[in-house]
Structures are given as C-alpha cells and as structure tokens.
Amino acid sequence: MNIWMKLFSGIYSAGLILLLLLSPSLSAQSLPEGAGDIHCFKLHPSPPASVPQGDPNIDAVYYAITMDIDYPARRITGLTSIGFKALVPDLRQIYINLANTLACDSVVWQNTSLPFTHGSDKVSFTLPSPLSLNERTDVTIYYDGVPSSTGFGSFTFGSMYNHPSVWSLSEPYGSSDWWANKNSVDDKADSADIIIICDTSFTAVSNGLLVSKTITGSKARWHWSTRYPIANYLISVAISNYSLYQNWYRYTAADSLPIVHYLVPEIINDLIPQLDKTVEMMKLFTGLFGEYPFIREKYGHAQFGRGGGMEHQTISSMARFDDGIIAHELAHQWYGDKVTNRTWQDIWLHEGFATYSEGLWYEYLNKEWLKEYMSLRGVPARAAEGTILVQDVQNVFSIFDFNRTYAKASWVVHMLRTITGDSAFFQIIREFHNAPGLAYGNASTSDLEQIASRIYGSSLAYFFDQWITKPGYPKYLVTYNTSRLMTGGYKTSITIDQTANTAGVVFRMPLDITLSTASGDTTLTIDNNTAIQSADIITTAEPFLVQIDPEEKILKEVNITRRYPDELLRDGIQLYKPWPNPASDNISIGFELIQTKKITARIYSLTGELIAELANEELPAGVYTYPLTARTISSGIYIIQLSADDKQYRQKIAIIR
C-alpha cells in the first residue's frame, strides 16, 4: 500500500548489468516527473475501537464469501462459509470476527442453526459436539447491513467519474467491517471464493480467476476464485462501470499470465501506454525476485476512488497509474502478499521492500536514478520519529506513517544491499519469500535477519537492531586536520563523532571517507562502530575536499569541520615545511590562507641575498603549492620567507649537490 502521512504526508550482479544494458536509453539526468510523489489513501484514517483478535483456537483454511450489493440503499446482504481446523483438543467454544454494525442473522453448522451472540465485533457460538485437535469443519455466518468503515475505508459506496462505484480496502483491520472472518494477519486461508451479486450495469472484480458470470434478471453474479493462500485483509471487491484492457506477460514460449486493467471508460484508452509498463515491470521483478507468486491466476489493476493504491492479491486497487505506484503495488505481490508480516509491528517488511522496488525500476531505466530516488526518500526518512518497528498497532496512522514505514524502511533495504553487495542482497530477498514456512505464509524481522546473516556469512543482528528497533540515524560530526609529512605527502587525521545521535544509539556501518586532491581521489572504508572513532589517511597531494559517504549509501547527516593549527587560526596564514628537505632536485613549497591576503613568497640565502620570488600578489583563501627547481641553486642552507600583513613566516631548506 502506498500512502501519504503526517499532514500531507543465479548471480544477480551479472543479471543486473544485463538488465541495465537492455534497458531503454534515456538522456535525461533527472527522475521522471512524479517519481518522488507520496500517494495517499486518506489523510486521517479512522482507528478501530480496538485491535481485532482472531480466535486463537482455530486455523482458518477456506473462505467462501457471497454478497449481494444494494447500491441505492448502501447495504450488503452476505454470508461467509468458513472452513477451519481446531488448534486445541475438545474445541467447542468459537468466535468469528464481524463488526457490530452488521446484523448477524444466523450461524449454520452441518445444516443446523446454532445459538450465537454478537457483541464486541465477534460472533460467538458453541458447537454441539467438540472438535478434536486438527479436525476440520465448516460454519456459515449470515449477515446484512451497512458496512462500517475503519482504517482507510474498509468498504465504500462511492463514485468515479460520476459512475456509481463500490470498493474495499481492509488493511489493516477492516475485513470484518464487511465480511465475517478470523481477523488475524498471521492466519492465511489456503484458498477463497468470492461471489459478488450486483446490478448488471456493474463489472465486479476480485482476487484470482473469474470462474463464471451469470445473469438473472437485473442482477449479475460474478464468481472469482483464488487457490493460493491469502490473508484476510487482501481479499477485495471493486465494482464500477469498468472497461477492460488486457495484456499478457509471457513467462515461457507457451505460457502467458493475463495482465488485466479495469478502469472507467473515460480514461482507459489514454492510459494504455502507461498500463503496458506493467508487463515490463513484471519482467524486471521476476528477474530480480523470482517468478511472479500467483502465476496460475492473474495480475492487474482495478480503479478505485481512494488516493494511491492497495496491493490486493492478484488485483491491486489503484487511483493513479504513474510508474512509482505501479511498481510499488506490483512488488507487494512478493513482499506483502506472498510473504505477509506476522504482526503489524513488522509492516516495514511490506512497505520498505515495495518502496525500494520503485527505486529498482528507476535504476533499470537509468542506473543513476536510484541514487536520486533514495535522496528524495531521505528527506522524510530523516524526519521519522521513533522506531521502524511499530510500537502502537492500534493507531492505524502510526502503522502507516510514511516517514518510518515507507521512506526510512526503504533506506534500510538500500543499506542492506550496500553492506552485503548485490549478489548476496538479491539472494537474500529471493530466499526470504521462498523459504519453507515463509513462502505463502508469514514472516517477521527476525526471519529476514537469520536469512541475511546466513547468506552474508556473518551475523547482521546488529544491523537490524540498530535500524529497526532503535530510533534515529547516524549524525556524523566530522573534524579533521591535514599536516605535511617530512617523508613527503600529507596525513589527514579524521575524527568521527556520533554522540549527537538520537537516544545515544551508535550505528555500525561501513563508512567511506574520500579525500580529493589534485592527483585524484583516495577513499578509505572504515568499520565505524564506536561513538568516537579516528582514522588517518595518507595522500601524495594536499586534500582540497573531504567527503563522508559521497555515494550516499547511508541514511545520515554530516557536519564536517576542519581543525586548523593554532598559527593558521591566529594569523589566517600558515607556511608548510618544504618537501623534500634536504633536496637536490625539485622542491615543493606550500602555504595555506583562510582569508584573502596580499602575500609575497621568496627564497633567501643566509646572507640575505634574494634567490627567487615565488609569489607576489593578493590571493583568496586556499591551499597553494609552488615548485622550486633546486638544480639551479648552489648547495647550502636557504630561508623560505612568506610575508603578509607586515609579518614574516620562515622555514629552512637544505640544498645538497
């Protein structure tokens, strides 16, 4: 799901190179318009009265949902047949989640109506005979009424382009606002059938494949079916006066996946070029992540009246169709739908990977664009408050806080790639959604951590701890000074201070330090793992620029200050020691100004004879180096004199033949 927050708020490496070589040739050096947009559903999501708790004693394995839509009355009449297994022996007392705003008419088990109570958004009943451990049974719950609408709008009677429209968006807790189910994200049904009865003027769209459409009088009965495991919040309906545009993703020479697009007729033709990008994105993501998880069914889009999009399994609900949101919701089919978070605390596993996948699409179009995209996401990421691991799962706004759950989480994915390297990174994320127990199931941060550590070959527990369970990001206060070495070259001593970090968290990261000189760049990568850490870098020429993480691999703030020698701070000028000394050939004579000065630089013999004048001019702040050819000067001791503001600064130089 892609939202606004706050107020407005094989070996992969070779494969990626091939993808980039095959990608479209683009001359523009900036991201496409809208690449940094934040797509919204609703600025102020409505919280549930309490976080729903599904019955822990049952395992939901199958749902058959039938609903009759009365658009003029804004009502539904529905039933859910629920297949479930007992997780405890001698199970008789059971409850199913269903909002109080819907009236429960009856509960039927084996053709027998059971007594029930309906309160606290639960339908509770007792089976006439107990179930043994792992025994399966089915119960059907009948209900009707006007659905409530928590979260981002669980079930909405609305309109698009003046067409009457109906849509659902159940994430995170809204499924039981409109249909009876076990409302637990960690209990996926093995399969589901969704039957929608509505006026014949509507097209009704849902998950999986369309089994049948039958018409009786003024009503049409649409039967959709999915035979893949599915979380309750991913079951959806989208109903309107749709036109259908269909394309195909050909994954073998003989096999194709239908890519379907249900949009209102006023806009569908104009959007076909944009919709066709879905096929290209499917090719990219299957190359990076592995085969599309629901390859025996379909993928597509159903237009709805919210902002942004929602990754309903096999059929994302969409309000916009720019590159970013198409890529985002498609990537969710792997990260969110195939593998679903075990609890809503770990929602970053959905949104971090989906948001980063937008960047992967832009990287495919132009390899320089990923850096630009992550820079855009860095602004809200640094504004994130608290930990990425959600602390208040009752607060829907907190779960889907864009700064934390989307922007900062995408940076975590990016930094994991930085640490592990491309080959290991893509092996990690492919295995994450293919691992036994995780594929078509549920996962937590610890599952990803264990897989990442094993493939990387070293524990990454520290990485996930500091970025997921701790707040903030590194704020590097960097100070440095550069000194001339007697043996030639320059030593730059750098201190990196993280003591200003939020809550005193010390972030361990591989940190690149780059010094730029007239002779080129020198980069040292250190394992920055303490609150205050120092390093020395030797260069052959005087550095004129010091950069920390110049490739922007880390979410960070940097403040760099040069530590000047006392003489330079006091007088605004410093004469360096000449090198080499003694010298028989070429000599390098240098000085530094931290403000504009009128200077003279001359060489004198010990008797005061002027040997050479190197400079006599007004110079701005900077580092200056002048060559002197010793071959034309007799052996002896000489004085280098730098004059400014009626002061002289001297160094001795020995010339030897």
Side-chain angles (χ1 to χ4, degrees):
M1 179 174 60
N2 212 314
I3 64 171
W4 201 291
M5 54 89 252
K6 291 285 185 185
L7 293 179
F8 298 100
S9 354
I11 293 181
Y12 168 73
S13 302
L16 178 60
I17 293 171
L18 178 61
L19 283 169
L20 292 173
L21 289 173
L22 295 176
S23 61
S25 176
L26 298 174
S27 59
Q29 293 304 307
S30 59
L31 285 163
E33 184 177 355
D37 287 356
I38 302 170
H39 314 289
C40 67
F41 285 128
K42 188 175 181 182
L43 295 180
H44 304 290
S46 302
S50 61
V51 175
Q53 301 295 323
D55 190 333
N57 295 324
I58 66 171
D59 173 18
V61 294
Y62 172 71
Y63 292 117
I65 307 161
T66 299
M67 63 176 55
D68 192 327
I69 307 293
D70 185 343
Y71 185 89
R74 306 301 199 264
R75 296 178 64 89
I76 63 172
T77 300
L79 64 88
T80 304
S81 292
I82 306 168
F84 62 90
K85 294 189 296 185
L87 296 178
V88 295
D90 301 320
L91 177 65
R92 294 186 66 187
Q93 303 292 329
I94 296 166
Y95 70 82
I96 299 296
N97 301 98
L98 182 68
N100 292 344
T101 50
L102 294 175
C104 182
D105 177 74
S106 58
V107 176
V108 176
W109 176 74
Q110 294 186 357
N111 297 319
T112 301
S113 292
L114 302 180
F116 68 90
T117 61
H118 187 194
S120 301
D121 299 319
K122 298 174 182 177
V123 176
S124 302
F125 53 92
T126 302
L127 295 178
S129 58
L131 299 177
S132 59
L133 179 65
N134 293 323
E135 183 180 354
R136 173 175 168 159
T137 192
D138 296 83
V139 66
T140 301
I141 298 178
Y142 295 81
Y143 45 88
D144 70 274
V146 178
S148 56
S149 193
T150 61
F152 297 101
S154 315
F155 196 90
T156 302
F157 290 91
S159 65
M160 295 184 296
Y161 288 80
N162 295 318
H163 299 296
S165 304
V166 181
W167 59 82
S168 67
L169 199 170
S170 298
E171 192 176 28
Y173 306 123
S175 60
S176 53
D177 288 340
W178 59 280
W179 65 284
N181 63 89
K182 179 182 175 182
N183 198 342
S184 295
V185 67
D186 63 342
D187 189 357
K188 291 186 172 183
D190 296 337
S191 58
D193 286 278
I194 304 98
I195 297 170
I196 306 164
I197 301 169
C198 57
D199 190 275
T200 53
S201 62
F202 288 118
T203 296
V205 183
S206 190
N207 313 90
L209 293 174
L210 181 61
V211 176
S212 64
K213 174 191 175 184
T214 57
I215 296 177
T216 303
S218 63
K219 291 282 190 175
R221 183 181 185 273
W222 300 77
H223 180 185
W224 293 87
S225 179
T226 179
R227 292 298 175 257
Y228 287 96
I230 188 167
N232 60 314
Y233 77 93
L234 292 171
I235 291 178
S236 71
V237 297
I239 304 168
S240 190
N241 178 31
Y242 290 128
S243 293
L244 170 63
Y245 170 67
Q246 182 166 309
N247 204 333
W248 302 89
Y249 161 58
R250 304 189 186 280
Y251 54 95
T252 71
D255 300 301
S256 297
L257 175 79
I259 306 293
V260 298
H261 309 279
Y262 292 91
L263 279 70
V264 295
E266 287 85 347
I267 65 172
I268 191 166
N269 289 332
D270 290 340
L271 284 175
I272 284 175
Q274 193 66 19
L275 298 174
D276 282 343
K277 292 182 181 180
T278 310
V279 176
E280 193 70 13
M281 292 180 190
M282 184 72 76
K283 293 176 183 176
L284 173 66
F285 290 163
T286 56
L288 300 182
F289 308 151
E291 192 57 272
Y292 173 65
F294 312 107
I295 197 67
R296 297 191 304 273
E297 294 184 352
K298 72 172 186 305
Y299 183 66
H301 304 123
Q303 187 179 1
F304 77 153
R306 294 289 180 198
M310 174 63 208
E311 64 276 11
H312 294 127
Q313 190 164 302
T314 73
I315 185 72
S316 293
S317 297
M318 306 284 281
R320 296 174 54 176
F321 295 91
D322 55 78
D323 284 29
I325 195 169
I326 295 176
H328 184 107
E329 307 307 340
L330 175 57
H332 267 312
Q333 302 300 307
W334 287 265
Y335 306 102
D337 294 7
K338 182 181 181 184
V339 176
T340 306
N341 46 230
R342 189 165 285 118
T343 73
W344 291 106
Q345 283 191 299
D346 279 318
I347 183 62
W348 81 274
L349 292 171
H350 297 196
E351 304 301 348
F353 278 102
T355 304
Y356 189 64
S357 295
E358 297 178 42
L360 293 175
W361 168 249
Y362 294 125
E363 182 183 32
Y364 164 73
L365 295 177
N366 184 320
K367 63 181 180 180
E368 301 298 325
W369 283 357
L370 177 61
K371 182 177 177 180
E372 293 185 42
Y373 175 79
M374 295 312 298
S375 179
L376 289 173
R377 289 293 177 245
V379 176
R382 284 185 287 271
E385 297 177 358
T387 66
I388 288 179
L389 193 72
V390 178
Q391 301 302 315
D392 182 5
V393 294
Q394 181 166 335
N395 187 331
V396 178
F397 191 82
S398 179
I399 296 172
F400 296 100
D401 182 303
F402 180 81
N403 291 356
R404 291 198 315 262
T405 299
Y406 295 73
K408 189 177 180 184
S410 70
W411 262 98
V412 171
V413 178
H414 184 58
M415 291 184 290
L416 180 62
R417 180 181 179 183
T418 292
I419 288 175
T420 62
D422 276 5
S423 179
F425 171 75
F426 285 95
Q427 185 180 350
I428 289 165
I429 65 173
R430 287 170 73 107
E431 185 161 329
F432 176 60
H433 64 78
N434 282 319
L438 303 184
Y440 301 100
N442 297 85
S444 65
T445 298
S446 62
D447 293 313
L448 178 61
E449 175 198 317
Q450 292 170 20
I451 291 171
S453 295
R454 175 172 50 79
I455 292 174
Y456 180 56
S458 180
S459 175
L460 291 170
Y462 74 90
F463 174 84
F464 289 94
D465 176 62
Q466 69 192 13
W467 286 109
I468 303 302
T469 68
K470 301 287 176 62
Y473 54 89
K475 299 177 180 178
Y476 299 121
L477 176 61
V478 180
T479 56
Y480 74 95
N481 69 281
T482 299
S483 58
R484 188 81 171 266
L485 298 173
M486 291 299 295
T487 55
Y490 295 82
K491 180 176 77 172
T492 299
S493 298
I494 297 174
T495 299
I496 300 159
D497 186 334
Q498 287 195 51
T499 56
N501 291 352
T502 302
V505 178
V506 175
F507 289 84
R508 176 186 173 186
M509 294 295 291
L511 190 62
D512 294 339
I513 305 169
T514 298
L515 306 187
S516 297
T517 74
S519 301
D521 291 347
T522 297
T523 297
L524 173 70
T525 301
I526 65 170
D527 182 14
N528 182 222
N529 57 11
T530 60
I532 300 176
Q533 190 170 347
S534 297
D536 293 333
I537 304 177
I538 307 300
T539 55
T540 57
E542 173 84 8
F544 59 80
L545 179 64
V546 175
Q547 298 179 85
I548 303 298
D549 184 34
E551 294 301 314
E552 298 183 22
K553 300 175 182 177
I554 302 172
L555 179 68
K556 66 190 182 303
E557 286 182 9
V558 179
N559 187 307
I560 301 179
T561 303
R562 180 170 179 180
R563 301 190 303 271
Y564 290 100
D566 292 342
E567 179 185 41
L568 188 56
L569 286 175
R570 183 186 68 243
D571 298 337
I573 187 170
Q574 181 184 20
L575 176 63
Y576 294 139
K577 293 178 180 179
W579 184 86
N581 191 9
S584 59
D585 198 347
N586 294 324
I587 306 168
S588 178
I589 298 170
F591 58 88
E592 183 170 0
L593 306 175
I594 59 173
Q595 60 194 57
T596 300
K597 288 183 178 292
K598 174 68 168 62
I599 63 96
T600 58
R602 294 169 176 158
I603 310 296
Y604 292 95
S605 69
L606 291 178
T607 61
E609 178 186 1
L610 177 64
I611 303 300
E613 182 173 271
L614 303 177
N616 184 1
E617 58 187 319
E618 185 173 86
L619 295 174
V623 177
Y624 297 91
T625 302
Y626 291 87
L628 178 67
T629 302
R631 291 189 299 253
T632 61
I633 302 175
S634 302
S635 297
I637 304 298
Y638 295 86
I639 304 297
I640 302 169
Q641 179 174 293
L642 181 68
S643 301
D645 300 332
D646 299 324
K647 293 183 179 180
Q648 284 79 44
Y649 307 87
R650 298 181 177 88
Q651 294 281 357
K652 287 185 179 180
I653 179 72
I655 295 176
I656 301 174
R657 286 283 173 266

